[in-house]
Amino acid sequence: MRTVVNPGDVFVVESPTYLAALQTLELAEATVMSVSSDSDGMVVDELAELLKTQRIKGVYVVPTFGNPSGLTLSAARREQLVRLAAEHNFLIIEDDPYGELRFTEERNATLYQLAQQLLGHTDNVIYTSTFSKILAPGLRLGWAILPPLLLQKVAIIKQAADLHASALSQSIVECYLGLGRLPAQIDTIRRAYQQKGELLAGLVRSELGDVIDFDMPKGGMFLWARFRQPFNATEWLNATLANGVVFVPGEYFFANRPDRATFRLSFATASEQEMQEAVARLRRSL
């Protein structure tokens, strides 16, 4: 963001979107605009309408098992987004930390791959991912695939920010990848997260299904829920904290017009027993 955003540049996000991305855009002094999302991810038709009257610098999106929604951008919308980027000459920052954590064999092409296939180039797509979700949370090591024009500029700014990513973490990952164990590791965590996700969804449906709606996660780490009636989840958090359970209120994932009736639960680290107790406490907190 520090490389590509000048103060006032317009970046478009989906609602809801990743909280840290909103914070990063704010620090870069971007003007953030949002379009809605549904069960097929970002509503790209809304972006197309916006582009008729608004010039933008870029779009930030988590297209696969998004944080916080858990939703996946459909194949048709992925193609539409890539073509719009080329037509209107804006950047797509494709954040893909969860793409490998799918619970089915269904797999969409990344926006980066689609750009190669449809346009023959990736000049409008920055692809990012991380080892922290597929190898070990403590390995805060990510990577980016950048258009050549941006590569050196990003490297210089990163060098100024932190000199370089941890040499120890890089060496650990390099050695691990050389062992050829990553595919089996991914299969293991896919099964584990699928079991956890299905368990949490079942518990939430049983304990809270009379008052909330949610889409069943097909991958990733999160369950995104919404109260059917007007409700302030941030205020509710005070009650749940008193009962020793925490979640993330949904309003913080919106660039504007926050939906305070939403909240995000994570099933990544809790055990079966902890999830059972947590959801029971959520119910009592109502």
Side-chain angles (χ1 to χ4, degrees):
M1 296 299 188
R2 289 172 62 184
T3 307
V4 302
V5 177
N6 294 310
D9 283 347
V10 175
F11 248 80
V12 177
V13 300
E14 59 189 328
S15 288
T17 193
Y18 181 39
L19 170 60
L22 292 176
Q23 294 170 327
T24 305
L25 284 164
E26 182 180 357
L27 286 170
E29 300 184 59
T31 298
V32 182
M33 304 182 75
S34 60
V35 297
S36 61
S37 58
D38 58 22
S39 58
D40 286 325
M42 173 186 279
V43 180
V44 182
D45 281 342
E46 287 188 20
L47 175 64
E49 282 299 310
L50 178 66
L51 287 167
K52 292 179 180 179
T53 58
Q54 177 68 58
R55 180 173 177 80
I56 71 171
K57 175 62 72 72
V59 169
Y60 169 85
V61 63
V62 186
T64 307
F65 315 132
N67 181 0
S69 68
L71 297 172
T72 294
L73 190 64
S74 68
R77 290 183 182 180
R78 287 171 188 248
E79 180 175 339
Q80 183 185 11
L81 178 57
V82 166
R83 292 192 184 280
L84 282 173
E87 179 184 352
H88 294 273
N89 193 30
F90 63 81
L91 280 169
I92 299 170
I93 297 184
E94 178 180 15
D95 199 0
D96 188 31
Y98 313 105
E100 295 290 347
L101 306 182
R102 60 191 187 280
F103 303 159
T104 70
E105 295 308 313
E106 179 182 355
R107 184 165 193 163
N108 288 297
T110 66
L111 302 177
Y112 180 84
Q113 291 169 328
L114 274 179
Q116 288 179 314
Q117 296 168 13
L118 298 173
L119 308 174
H121 65 81
T122 57
D123 294 345
N124 298 90
V125 182
I126 296 173
Y127 177 89
T128 71
S129 192
T130 175
F131 288 103
S132 65
K133 303 298 186 291
I134 58 173
L135 190 51
L139 285 171
R140 313 303 293 177
L141 190 66
W143 70 91
I145 305 175
L146 297 143
L149 180 66
L150 293 175
L151 187 59
Q152 184 179 13
K153 296 175 182 178
V154 169
I156 290 171
I157 287 180
K158 188 177 190 307
Q159 184 181 30
D162 67 358
L163 299 184
H164 58 74
S166 164
L168 177 60
S169 293
Q170 292 185 69
S171 295
I172 291 171
V173 170
E174 181 186 26
C175 290
Y176 184 87
L177 293 176
L179 298 174
R181 293 181 177 179
L182 186 60
Q185 157 77 358
I186 290 174
D187 287 342
T188 298
I189 59 177
R190 282 178 58 194
R191 290 193 299 270
Y193 285 150
Q194 180 178 5
Q195 292 171 1
K196 286 172 173 280
E198 291 174 351
L199 173 62
L200 180 60
L203 290 168
V204 170
R205 192 176 291 113
S206 173
E207 294 284 350
L208 302 170
D210 57 332
V211 292
I212 69 167
D213 293 312
F214 64 89
D215 287 314
M216 181 66 196
K218 295 182 180 179
M221 297 178 161
F222 307 110
L223 187 148
W224 176 253
R226 187 181 191 281
F227 283 89
R228 298 193 189 102
Q229 300 297 324
F231 192 85
N232 191 318
T234 304
E235 292 181 357
W236 182 41
L237 180 61
N238 294 324
T240 70
L241 285 171
N243 282 315
V245 62
V246 65
F247 60 86
V248 185
E251 67 173 283
Y252 300 111
F253 295 98
F254 292 83
N256 45 52
R257 300 186 304 277
D259 186 348
R260 292 184 171 85
T262 58
F263 61 100
R264 189 197 76 179
L265 302 175
S266 173
F267 48 83
T269 60
S271 67
E272 178 177 347
Q273 183 177 1
E274 287 170 335
M275 282 193 278
Q276 290 172 341
E277 180 63 25
V279 177
R281 292 186 188 188
L282 288 177
R283 181 69 195 187
R284 288 200 300 271
S285 301
L286 286 176

